[in-house]
Amino acid sequence: MDKPTYARVDGATLSPSTRRRFLQGGALLIAFAAMGRRKAWAAGEEPSLRMLGAGDADKDGAAFQGFAPGGFIRIGRDNSITLIVPSVEMGQGIYTGEAMLIAEELEVGLDQVQVVPAPPNEELYQQPLLKSQSTGGSTSIRGAWVPLRQAGAAARQMLIGAAAAQWGVDPAECAAQRAIITHRPTGRTATYGEVVDGASRLPVPKDPPLKDPRDFKLIGRSVRRVETPSKVNGTAVFGIDVQVPGMKVATVTACPVFGGKVASVDDRAARAVPGVRDVVRIDNAVAVVGDHFWAARKGLEALDITWDYGPNAGTSSNGIWADLKARSETGQPVQARRDGDVDGAMKAASKRVEAVYQLPFLAHATMEPINTTVHVRPDACEIWVGTQVPTAAQGLAAKEAGLPVEKVILHNHLLGGGFGRRLEADSIGQAVAIAKQVDYPVKIIWTREEDIRRDIFRPAYYDRIAAGLGPDGLPTVWTDRVTGGSVMGHYFPGGLEQGKLDDDAVEGAKETPYRFPAVQVDWVRADPPVPITWWRGVGPTHNVFVVESFMDELAHAAGKDPVDYRRALLQHNPRSLAVLNLAVEKAGWGNPLPGGSGRGVSLHDSFGSHVAVVIEAAVDPAGLIGLKRIVAAIDCGLAINPDSVKAQLEGGILFGLSAALYSGITFAGGRVEQSNFHDYRNLRINETPPIEVHVVQSAEGPGGVGETGTVSAAPALGNAIFAATGKRLRSLPFRREELRSQGSGRDVLSKGPAGREPADNDLTRLARTGE
């Protein structure tokens, strides 16, 4: 019989009854976690997956001390193998990557592994690098690399030991393959399922030996994603797809000014809309509940709401930028790094180069808009959602519902994009506040307008950077002052104490791929009057744009080729030098290009990986930017699934290019001026050039990938624009009018946040004409 190609995946959540059946009966179940207590549950005593509370772990400490992140391996008598993965799937391929780690050491085929998302349980599923049960920061594979393999190896060792004991032979004479144990001298065999009872009685090995990488059968090979079949045939369940018996649908509008509240609501017209069931008011928002989304939306449009706009009604982008500039010049900096004689080196420099860079607020604009389904009952609260932070969401929901946390049941689903937005649980708290006022399940769906205008934004930044050059044109001193809000201060309970460094604000600036004799990096805190949080690429997305753009400026000031200039500063960093050389070789760096065209390069070491990207772009006299070709090289250590690495680089680069070309959140009268994809544009498929990704073969431990392409995009494009036009753009998104040749092109009649015409299909036109 042909073996199935794909692993099985439960992209939704097991029903309570299915979960109970899943964990009952004879099985070998192995639990492992980074922090706190663990337990290897014996047959028949496993807790329900419906809710794994802190009290479920035994009090004595147990197996897999030091294992991380957290999860369960279950092998049933029917030879079924299930991995309950701690990380959430939001398109990055982590279900597949983590399944490959366990399957490799367990000696099973990926098609034999079922993948199930973990329930909220900080003690069992804490991610060791993030110190919480959360998915983000390109940490999942880095955190799981050793512990998931150890868990698989330990299970295999126990299973082989059980079979050997049953046969009365030496375990060293036995081997396993595809969940079958073979005694090599006699050829006797047993399936894993046939020995799970015996294996469950064996002690869990504390330090099981791991395979030599030369013996890997799965790791390092491109395999198809485990959730792909369900996404193709429509059975995948994202949060927005959830259907619950008796469920109604709501949509919501919050005060358009952050910090504002509802003053009064006239809901008579809304209640007259056919299909509208309820109108629910909370402190700063009003929701309309209907039989379906259209009824709820039409009802919402019929509301007459009077808002109390609060203290931020006068917030404007001009005011925010003025404050950032003033803080940068006069604020008290927090030192991130100081090496060498910075002041002396600057005074002695043959040439001084300095610049100011500005980056806007950014929304996340995930494909799947914010949504949460909630049923609040007197004794429990049940939630269906896609979240990057299940335990944080569960805790916030419990507080809002007035229930103990163990009474909150959270079903985590596939996410239609996260990008940091779903590291926040604010919308889940809002949904519970709405749902507790009705006596039926309700699915709250934000409109795209609400999703953009009430996002929690990537901060705006104002950076002043300078360098002193020696007689050879290379930097003898480097200073970088970052000014912006504290993401960590917003995100963590209790905030960030004044005078403390926000590491996210300087990540990618504090440590660069290059070596300078003297360096100073500091940060001035300037919290805006709007909420801020992580965005794909976190700190490096903003800092690498500044560092790599300025590196090109220094090369130009020194009269040197940008690649040769970087090479001179990378002799201590062979991995970064290698990816730079690979990328420029594959891109044909130095080969002639048509007039108005140029190549730009960016390089960074972030998330444990080394990435170089070359973008070839063209700029016409009207200032239209055309993307011609993109070449990327990455050394991410051992690539678990090279196909996923390439996909993440491609998607990340395009995500970053969308922001560089089109995206920016602006404020006027306290309100976000953008509302949908007509004025907060994304790059379109027909605007996308060929992309090549070259993955360096490496034996190093794996690095992160999901954020790296986004980090690379804007600086490579900005440097390509300079190469094509001689014009240095230091603000994002890139403004077309700054590139327009004098007397060319028509005036911009309807500008988006970047001064661009949002409806213009700039890149498509260039692609068609070959300009």
Side-chain angles (χ1 to χ4, degrees), residues 523-543:
W523 167 63
V524 176
R525 184 170 182 171
D527 290 327
V530 297
I532 54 175
T533 194
W534 321 99
W535 192 83
R536 189 174 186 179
V538 292
T541 298
H542 124 253
N543 285 311

Side-chain angles (χ1 to χ4, degrees), residues 629-696:
R629 186 183 177 208
I630 301 172
V631 177
I634 181 170
D635 177 353
C636 59
L638 180 60
I640 307 303
N641 184 356
D643 186 63
S644 284
V645 172
K646 292 179 180 179
Q648 283 293 285
L649 259 293
E650 292 166 351
I653 289 170
L654 297 180
F655 191 86
L657 288 174
S658 291
L661 287 166
Y662 300 117
S663 301
I665 291 294
T666 58
F667 296 88
R671 302 171 184 241
V672 173
E673 295 187 288
Q674 292 69 41
S675 63
N676 209 313
F677 290 131
H678 68 291
D679 55 7
Y680 194 84
R681 265 202 59 186
N682 284 315
L683 202 67
R684 297 166 183 161
I685 287 178
N686 60 340
E687 298 171 335
T688 303
I691 304 176
E692 301 172 26
V693 177
H694 301 275
V695 181
V696 173

Side-chain angles (χ1 to χ4, degrees), residues 608-645:
S609 294
H610 304 254
V611 184
V613 170
V614 176
I615 293 180
E616 182 182 324
V619 182
D620 80 351
L624 301 179
I625 302 167
L627 302 176
K628 297 298 187 180
R629 186 183 177 208
I630 301 172
V631 177
I634 181 170
D635 177 353
C636 59
L638 180 60
I640 307 303
N641 184 356
D643 186 63
S644 284
V645 172

Side-chain angles (χ1 to χ4, degrees), residues 345-467:
M346 195 65 80
K347 290 178 182 177
S350 300
K351 179 183 288 188
R352 178 185 174 112
V353 183
E354 55 187 17
V356 171
Y357 286 84
Q358 295 176 248
L359 293 90
F361 293 101
L362 291 173
H364 299 83
T366 57
M367 181 180 293
E368 179 190 16
I370 291 294
N371 64 89
T372 308
T373 301
V374 186
H375 190 191
V376 179
R377 302 183 294 273
D379 61 342
C381 173
E382 196 161 5
I383 301 171
W384 298 260
V385 71
T387 176
Q388 294 174 247
V389 285
T391 52
Q394 183 190 41
L396 180 61
K399 182 178 179 180
E400 186 63 49
L403 293 167
V405 70
E406 62 269 17
K407 296 295 185 181
V408 176
I409 304 159
L410 188 143
H411 309 270
N412 209 359
H413 291 264
L414 295 169
L415 284 65
F419 313 135
R421 180 61 180 96
R422 288 181 164 94
L423 284 169
E424 300 282 352
D426 59 299
S427 60
I428 298 170
Q430 180 199 68
V432 174
I434 293 167
K436 71 182 182 181
Q437 298 188 49
V438 298
D439 59 1
Y440 44 79
V442 59
K443 180 192 292 184
I444 295 91
I445 302 175
W446 289 17
T447 63
R448 179 60 65 188
E449 290 78 9
E450 190 77 2
D451 187 83
I452 289 178
R453 289 173 171 163
R454 293 293 304 192
D455 201 350
I456 302 180
F457 305 103
R458 198 285 302 272
Y461 292 98
Y462 184 96
D463 289 14
R464 292 191 294 136
I465 190 166

